[in-house]
Amino acid sequence: MKILYLFDTTDRAESESVIEMAQHGVEPTICCRPDAPMRKRFEQAGLEVIPLPLRSKLDLQSIRILRQLRRSRQFDIVHAYYKIALTNYNLAAVGLPRVPVIAYRGIIGNLSYWDPFSWLSFLDPRIERIVCVCEAIRQYFLGKPFFLGLRLFSPEQVVTIHKGHQPQWYQQPEPQLPDDLQVPNEALVIGCVSRMKKRKGIIELINAFEQIPAEFNAYLLLVGPIEDKIIEQSVRRSSAAARIRLTGYRTDAPKIAGAFDIKTLPSLRREGLPRAVIEAMAQGIPAVVSDSGGNPDLVIDGQSGRVVPAGDTEALRVALTELIANPELRQQMGKAAAQRIKEDFTVEKTVTQTLKLYRELAPAAS
């Protein structure tokens, strides 16, 4: 089965799935940016890689390359992992024989009927399937109204396939907090690795944390680029400011995150399947997350962590306090979290489900 894969940059979980599918009879041709992080890995695995500049949603050079590729080769399926690559491909394929197209979606929202580029991506009638990284994204598509109550997407067209991971990708040999963060060795560390934006629930997290009694000696680490200045203001004004560290972007973020006692991501909306939560769980760190997006797909409430309603500061405080006060519960949930990633979010499962989808769309090729 010959598959044309369209990337922009490359993600490790997606890339390793493609490499694994090549071991199951798939003949991949991969288009990605020349500087894509996983390009070398593809080439080392013996897969064909065709560089695409992809400077914009309408990149004439990329369109020419893709159109020439379609004219000169026969593909059974086109699988687009990035919207920018999908829009350029759909323009390149105008007037050419139809090939089933699969589009990947990793976030909720940003899909407007009034945006012409939406009709060149997920609203394009040539899209046979949309693969969503979590169930919440699938439900977003199925529930999106069009006109007079009509729906553009059928349950058969939109499917959920989680990305697969390998726990060893995320293990930190010596996770530790750098001295410049000035966190006492005996402190219990609650950590959030994310872009520091209001919609990530950071202000609610700060408000919940300052209500946790100081005698627990808990510290809150907020690691990631600061995109909303109000978050800096909230930290400065907090009654718990002495125990909050707002680090900004850190190149050593994975090592810092490996030293967390509790991972939290209380997003308010538009969450996908957050890799930061996956990384923590794979390392045996229990997570306290909101019920936004794919968080509940990852964390089973009461087993591998806690899931609280998005925006509910009091529920967040209670869940964090429960884990802070109970070391045995943290250890138990952390162990369950690591097991969940190891068993339920594997590359093998992703490949099996994706191959099944390919066979449905191109039965003759299989």
Side-chain angles (χ1 to χ4, degrees), residues 181-202:
L181 294 182
Q182 297 183 330
V183 176
N185 291 334
E186 68 278 7
L188 185 142
V189 180
I190 302 167
C192 178
V193 178
S194 172
R195 289 179 297 159
M196 294 295 130
K197 303 183 69 164
K198 287 176 63 177
R199 72 173 175 86
K200 294 293 185 176
I202 306 301

Side-chain angles (χ1 to χ4, degrees), residues 139-161:
Q139 293 304 320
Y140 166 78
F141 276 106
L142 295 181
K144 190 171 179 61
F146 177 53
F147 180 69
L148 296 179
L150 296 175
R151 298 286 190 270
L152 289 186
F153 304 101
S154 68
E156 296 76 23
Q157 183 187 7
V158 190
V159 299
T160 298
I161 299 179

Side-chain angles (χ1 to χ4, degrees), residues 115-179:
D115 178 5
F117 283 102
S118 289
W119 292 95
L120 286 170
S121 58
F122 300 99
L123 299 179
D124 192 308
R126 291 172 292 180
I127 306 297
E128 297 277 351
R129 294 288 188 277
I130 298 174
V131 172
C132 303
V133 77
C134 66
E135 183 59 24
I137 298 174
R138 179 174 183 266
Q139 293 304 320
Y140 166 78
F141 276 106
L142 295 181
K144 190 171 179 61
F146 177 53
F147 180 69
L148 296 179
L150 296 175
R151 298 286 190 270
L152 289 186
F153 304 101
S154 68
E156 296 76 23
Q157 183 187 7
V158 190
V159 299
T160 298
I161 299 179
H162 296 130
K163 287 185 185 179
H165 300 262
Q166 294 181 11
Q168 60 266 31
W169 295 346
Y170 308 118
Q171 301 305 316
Q172 297 298 317
E174 295 181 2
Q176 59 183 0
L177 299 180
D179 293 339

Side-chain angles (χ1 to χ4, degrees), residues 49-312:
V49 177
I50 298 174
L52 283 182
L54 291 173
R55 290 175 289 257
S56 69
K57 295 176 184 176
L58 203 166
D59 183 84
L60 295 181
Q61 185 180 355
S62 296
I63 291 170
R64 282 196 296 269
I65 293 171
L66 288 168
R67 190 168 182 83
Q68 183 179 8
L69 188 60
R70 273 293 319 274
R71 281 176 162 171
S72 61
R73 309 262 195 102
Q74 178 133 13
F75 296 102
D76 299 301
I77 290 172
V78 175
H79 193 158
Y81 278 94
Y82 287 79
K83 186 176 180 180
I84 188 173
L86 178 62
T87 56
N88 278 281
Y89 170 79
N90 281 338
L91 286 167
V94 170
L96 297 180
R98 186 163 181 162
V99 172
V101 177
I102 298 172
Y104 165 84
R105 188 63 167 169
I107 62 169
I108 294 174
N110 277 358
L111 187 65
S112 170
Y113 294 124
W114 304 105
D115 178 5
F117 283 102
S118 289
W119 292 95
L120 286 170
S121 58
F122 300 99
L123 299 179
D124 192 308
R126 291 172 292 180
I127 306 297
E128 297 277 351
R129 294 288 188 277
I130 298 174
V131 172
C132 303
V133 77
C134 66
E135 183 59 24
I137 298 174
R138 179 174 183 266
Q139 293 304 320
Y140 166 78
F141 276 106
L142 295 181
K144 190 171 179 61
F146 177 53
F147 180 69
L148 296 179
L150 296 175
R151 298 286 190 270
L152 289 186
F153 304 101
S154 68
E156 296 76 23
Q157 183 187 7
V158 190
V159 299
T160 298
I161 299 179
H162 296 130
K163 287 185 185 179
H165 300 262
Q166 294 181 11
Q168 60 266 31
W169 295 346
Y170 308 118
Q171 301 305 316
Q172 297 298 317
E174 295 181 2
Q176 59 183 0
L177 299 180
D179 293 339
D180 66 288
L181 294 182
Q182 297 183 330
V183 176
N185 291 334
E186 68 278 7
L188 185 142
V189 180
I190 302 167
C192 178
V193 178
S194 172
R195 289 179 297 159
M196 294 295 130
K197 303 183 69 164
K198 287 176 63 177
R199 72 173 175 86
K200 294 293 185 176
I202 306 301
I203 292 175
E204 287 74 11
L205 174 57
I206 293 168
N207 292 339
F209 179 74
E210 66 185 17
Q211 296 174 47
I212 295 172
E215 51 263 34
F216 281 122
N217 195 28
Y219 277 65
L220 176 62
L221 267 60
L222 304 173
V223 183
I226 302 165
E227 299 188 14
D228 287 339
K229 295 298 182 183
I230 192 172
I231 291 172
E232 292 180 304
Q233 297 169 8
S234 297
V235 171
R236 285 197 301 269
R237 295 171 182 169
S238 173
S239 59
R243 293 181 290 112
I244 301 176
R245 302 290 183 266
L246 183 62
T247 74
Y249 173 77
R250 301 276 303 215
T251 57
D252 57 351
K255 182 172 283 191
I256 294 173
F260 293 164
D261 295 292
I262 301 168
K263 161 70 184 177
T264 185
L265 188 65
S267 304
L268 302 181
R269 60 188 179 276
R270 292 190 59 201
E271 198 57 71
L273 196 71
R275 191 178 70 180
V277 175
I278 293 169
E279 290 179 1
M281 293 175 68
Q283 296 178 80
I285 301 169
V288 176
V289 300
S290 70
D291 58 3
S292 172
N295 282 334
D297 289 28
L298 289 169
V299 179
I300 299 178
D301 187 38
Q303 294 184 26
S304 51
R306 293 302 314 274
V307 180
V308 301
D312 191 330

